[in-house]
C-alpha cells in the first residue's frame, strides 16, 4: 500500500511528539488510510521501545518498518504536536507565571501529616531576572518540543549573553538551522543537542568558530558524519558522542587539515567499539587529555597494529592523554594493563567492571593493578596515595617471588615491572635468605596482619594483630582464626580489605599462601562467616 506524502502539515520524516507528553518523541513514517479504520492516520515510529504497540504492521498489513516490535503506532493528527519555536520555548520556560494550583502543590508534610505551604524566598526576584532574556547566560529547554529554531536577525539582540544552550530531547534535525542559530548567538560556546534525531546531511553547516563544547549523545551520528562535522568546529575542546552505536573511526590525522587539534575531551561512552586499532586512530590528537570509552566492547589494548608503529616514528601515542576511562568493557589480560604504561601522561585510569579487575571472574585485586601501572594516580575513581602505591608494589613483588622465585625467564615475560620494583624497594629473595640463615631469619619472614570479625553471628570481638609466616596457607589461617576468636560451629570466610577498593577481595583458594594472594605486612583481613 502506497502512503500519501503528506496530510495537513505532517510529512514523512517529520519529527513529532505526543500532544500531552513532550518526552514521547518519534518520527512520522506513514500518512494515509489504515485498513479497517476510517479517516487518515499518522504512522509514528517512537524513539523509545515500548511507546508503541506494533512494528508498523497491523492485522497482517504492512505500512512501514518500525525499529522494534513495540516502537510503532498509528495516531490521529489532533493527538500529535508539530512542536514550537525556540523563542516560544524560552517564553514557556522562563516567563510563564505559576498558577495558584501549581503553587498549592508546593508543600511539605508536618509531623501531624498536615500540608505546610512552601514559599520560595527571593523567588520573585529570580523569576524576574530569568524573564529578562538579555541577561540570560544559560538556558535549558530540554524536552519542550522545540522543532524550529526560528532563527532571525534580531535573535542576537534578544539573547546577547547566552553562553550555554541545552536543547536535549527536542524535535531538531536541520543542521543548516543549527548553524544559523550559532551564527546569530555570538556568545554561545556550549550547545547540547542530545536525543535529537539529527540529519545526516551536514554539508551546509557553516564554520562554528565560537563553539567549544558540543554534546551529541544519542543523536544517531556515525563517525563518518563526525568527520564532516569537525571541519566546521575549528575551536572545539569537548565533544560528547555517547550512545551513537559507533563501531569504527576514520583517521583524524590527515595532513591537509587541522583535525580536532584543540580537542581536549572526547566522550565515546556506550558505543560499539570492539577493536583497539580503531582507538589508535585517535592517538595523534595533540591536545586530547581525556578519552571516555566506558561501556564499549573492547577486549585488548596494545600500542601497535600488526607489529608496526601505530603513530609517526619518534612520536608517542596519545601524547597529552592524562585520563582514560575503560569501565565495563571485556578487558581480561594483564598485557593490556601493561600497554597503558606506553602513554606518557596517563594518570587517571578506569578498569572497573572488566574481567581483569574482578577476581571472581579470574581477574586480579586492586594492588596488582596499582603495582603494574607505572604512573597511575587515580584508579577506578579512587586516588592512589603514595602509601598505597608503595605497599601495593611491595606486595606484588613478594607475591611474584612466592610463585616464580626460580623462573627468571617467566618472570620477565609475565611481570615486566618485577625487577624494577624489586630493586626500587630493596627486596631480597626471601626464600634464598631463609636457606642461608639460621633460626634468626624466621622472625624476619613474619608479616603483621590485623584480623577483624565482621560475621553477624560472631558477636562483638576486639580486633587482633598477629605476626605470621607469609608461607602459611589461607586454609591454615582460617583454622587459626577459629582458635583466635573461639568460633564454635561457625565456618569462617576470609576477605582482604584493600585501601582504595570499594569491596574486599574474597580469599577462597585455601591452598594459596598469604604471599600468593598479596597479603603483606600491615594487611587487614575480615573474618566473615559462610552463608
Amino acid at each position: 500500500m502506497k502512503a500519501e506524502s503528506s496530510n495537513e502539515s505532517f510529512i514523512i520524516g517529520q519529527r513529532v511528539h505526543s500532544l500531552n507528553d513532550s518526552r514521547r518523541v518519534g518520527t512520522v513514517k506513514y500518512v494515509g488510510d489504515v485498513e479497517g479504520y476510517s479517516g487518515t492516520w499518522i504512522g509514528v515510529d517512537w524513539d523509545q521501545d515500548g511507546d508503541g504497540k506494533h512494528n508498523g504492521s497491523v492485522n497482517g498489513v504492512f505500512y512501514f518498518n518500525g525499529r522494534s516490535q513495540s516502537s510503532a503506532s498509528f495516531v490521529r493528527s489532533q493527538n500529535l504536536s508539530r512542536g514550537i519555536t525556540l523563542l516560544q520555548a524560552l517564553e514557556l520556560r522562563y516567563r510563564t507565571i505559576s498558577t495558584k494550583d501549581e503553587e498549592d502543590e508546593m508543600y511539605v508534610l508536618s509531623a501531624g501529616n498536615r500540608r505546610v505551604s512552601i514559599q520560595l524566598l527571593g523567588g520573585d526576584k529570580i523569576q524576574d531576572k530569568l524573564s529578562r532574556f538579555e541577561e540570560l547566560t544559560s538556558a535549558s529547554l530540554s524536552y519542550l518540543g522545540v522543532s524550529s529554531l526560528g532563527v532571525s536577525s534580531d535573535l542576537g539582540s534578544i539573547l546577547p549573553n547566552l553562553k550555554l544552550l541545552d536543547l536535549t530531547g527536542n524535535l531538531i534535525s536541520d543542521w543548516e538551522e543549527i548553524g544559523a542559530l550559532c551564527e546569530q548567538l555570538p556568545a554561545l560556546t556550549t550547545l547540547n543537542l542530545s536525543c535529537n534525531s539529527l540529519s545526516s546531511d551536514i554539508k551546509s553547516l557553516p564554520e562554528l568558530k565560537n563553539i567549544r563544547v558540543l554534546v551529541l549523545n544519542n543523536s544517531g551520528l556515525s563517525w563518518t558524519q563526525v568527520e564532516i562535522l569537525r571541519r566546521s568546529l575549528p575551536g572545539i575542546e569537548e565533544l560528547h558522542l555517547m550512545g551513537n552505536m559507533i563501531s569504527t573511526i576514520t583517521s583524524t590525522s590527515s595532513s591537509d587539515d587541522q583535525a580536532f587539534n584543540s580537542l581536549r575531551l572526547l566522550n565515546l561512552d556506550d558505543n560499539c567499539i570492539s577493536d583497539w586499532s580503531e582507538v589508535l586512530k585517535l592517538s595523534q590528537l595533540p591536545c586530547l587529555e581525556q578519552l571516555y570509552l566506558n561501556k564499549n566492547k573492547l577486549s585488548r589494548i596494545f600500542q601497535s597494529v600488526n607489529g608496526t608503529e601505530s603513530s609517526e616514528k619518534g612520536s608517542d601515542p596519545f601524547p597529552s592523554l592524562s585520563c582514560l576511562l575503560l569501565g565495563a568493557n571485556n578487558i581480561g589480560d594483564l598485557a593490556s594493563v601493561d600497554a597503558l604504561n606506553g602513554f606518557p601522561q596517563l594518570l587517571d585510569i578506569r578498569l572497573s567492571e572488566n574481567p581483569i579487575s574482578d577476581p571472581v571472574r579470574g581477574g586480579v585485586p586492586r594492588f596488582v593493578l596499582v603495582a603494574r601501572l607505572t604512573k597511575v594516580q587515580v584508579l577506578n575513581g579512587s586516588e592512589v596515595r603514595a602509601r598505597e602505591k608503595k605497599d601495593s608494589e611491595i606486595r606484588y613483588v613478594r607475591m611474584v617471588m612466592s610463585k616464580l622465585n626460580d623462573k627468571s625467564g617467566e618472570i620477565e615475560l609475565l611481570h615486566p615491572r618485577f625487577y624494577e620494583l624489586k630493586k626500587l624497594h630493596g627486596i631480597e629473595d626471601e626464600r634464598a635468605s631463609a636457606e642461608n640463615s639460621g633460626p634468626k631469619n624466621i622472625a624476619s619472614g613474619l608479616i603483621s596482619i590485623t584480623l577483624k570479625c565482621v560475621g553477624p553471628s560472631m558477636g562483638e570481638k576486639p580486633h587482633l594483630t598477629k605476626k605470621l609466616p607469609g608461607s602459611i596457607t589461607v586454609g591454615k589461617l582460617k583454622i587459626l582464626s577459629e582458635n583466635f576468636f573461639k568460633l564454635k560451629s561457625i565456618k569462617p570466610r576470609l576477605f582482604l580489605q584493600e585501601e582504595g577498593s570499594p569491596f574486599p577481595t574474597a580469599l577462597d583458594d585455601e591452598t594459596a599462601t598469604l604471599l600468593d594472594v598479596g597479603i603483606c605486612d600491615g594487611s587487614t583481613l575480615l573474618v566473615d562467616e559462610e552463608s
Side-chain angles (χ1 to χ4, degrees), residues 319-369:
S320 302
L321 191 68
S322 61
C323 175
L324 178 60
L325 305 186
L326 293 162
N329 278 276
N330 299 316
I331 299 165
D333 64 305
L334 285 168
S336 292
V337 176
D338 298 333
L340 296 174
N341 291 325
F343 305 149
Q345 305 297 326
L346 190 57
L347 305 174
D348 185 350
I349 301 168
R350 181 175 292 278
L351 290 167
S352 54
E353 298 182 69
N354 279 278
I356 192 61
S357 63
D358 184 359
V360 175
R361 293 192 285 168
V364 297
R366 176 182 169 91
F367 80 88
V368 173
L369 297 176

Side-chain angles (χ1 to χ4, degrees), residues 35-230:
E35 191 173 310
Y37 298 89
S38 62
T40 300
W41 293 84
I42 314 299
V44 180
D45 194 22
W46 303 104
D47 290 356
Q48 295 293 325
D49 291 347
D51 279 355
K53 298 179 179 179
H54 50 77
N55 64 355
S57 297
V58 177
N59 296 329
V61 180
F62 170 81
Y63 295 93
F64 63 93
N65 272 320
R67 292 182 308 100
S68 74
Q69 294 299 314
S70 59
S71 66
S73 60
F74 288 102
V75 188
R76 294 292 191 185
S77 60
Q78 63 266 27
N79 294 323
L80 291 175
S81 172
R82 303 168 184 84
I84 58 178
T85 67
L86 175 69
L87 290 178
Q88 287 174 327
L90 282 165
E91 291 277 352
L92 182 64
R93 177 58 55 87
Y94 295 109
R95 285 184 176 170
T96 302
I97 306 298
S98 299
T99 65
K100 187 178 186 304
D101 288 341
E102 290 172 332
E103 291 177 355
D104 288 343
E105 287 299 311
M106 298 176 63
Y107 64 87
V108 293
L109 293 175
S110 69
N113 208 34
R114 294 183 179 180
R115 292 188 179 189
V116 179
S117 297
I118 296 175
Q119 182 178 4
L120 296 178
L121 293 177
D124 292 341
K125 290 182 179 179
I126 294 172
Q127 185 62 45
D128 178 60
K129 183 175 182 179
L130 291 174
S131 67
R132 296 197 296 271
F133 291 167
E134 68 275 7
E135 295 184 19
L136 277 180
T137 57
S138 63
S140 177
L141 305 177
S142 57
Y143 295 99
L144 286 181
V146 178
S147 59
S148 169
L149 299 179
V151 179
S152 61
S153 58
D154 60 347
L155 189 61
S157 60
I158 297 171
L159 298 164
N161 297 303
L162 192 67
K163 297 178 181 179
L164 184 152
L165 180 58
D166 183 359
L167 291 168
T168 298
N170 283 287
L171 310 178
I172 300 162
S173 60
D174 189 350
W175 279 105
E176 187 173 1
E177 200 172 19
I178 293 168
L181 172 72
C182 295
E183 288 184 317
Q184 288 295 318
L185 299 175
L188 188 66
T189 59
T190 301
L191 179 61
N192 189 342
L193 294 168
S194 297
C195 302
N196 284 276
S197 184
L198 300 173
S199 169
S200 59
D201 181 13
I202 312 177
K203 298 177 182 177
S204 55
L205 189 65
E207 192 172 78
L208 310 179
K209 296 180 180 179
N210 296 327
I211 296 297
R212 297 291 178 266
V213 179
L214 184 59
V215 187
L216 299 170
N217 299 333
N218 301 293
S219 57
L221 288 183
S222 67
W223 191 267
T224 301
Q225 292 164 327
V226 173
E227 279 291 293
I228 298 171
L229 179 63
R230 65 160 174 77

Side-chain angles (χ1 to χ4, degrees), residues 210-283:
N210 296 327
I211 296 297
R212 297 291 178 266
V213 179
L214 184 59
V215 187
L216 299 170
N217 299 333
N218 301 293
S219 57
L221 288 183
S222 67
W223 191 267
T224 301
Q225 292 164 327
V226 173
E227 279 291 293
I228 298 171
L229 179 63
R230 65 160 174 77
R231 299 167 190 163
S232 300
L233 298 166
I236 193 73
E237 296 178 2
E238 285 190 26
L239 182 59
H240 297 262
L241 297 166
M242 291 176 60
N244 285 308
M245 300 187 71
I246 293 171
S247 59
T248 58
I249 294 173
T250 51
S251 177
T252 60
S253 58
S254 60
S255 57
D256 61 343
D257 54 51
Q258 300 295 309
F260 289 142
N261 272 4
S262 59
L263 190 66
R264 299 184 182 278
L265 186 154
L266 178 58
N267 185 348
L268 288 167
D269 282 353
D270 197 17
N271 277 287
C272 302
I273 301 170
S274 60
D275 191 338
W276 186 254
S277 61
E278 297 297 326
V279 180
L280 286 175
K281 295 173 184 178
L282 303 167
S283 66

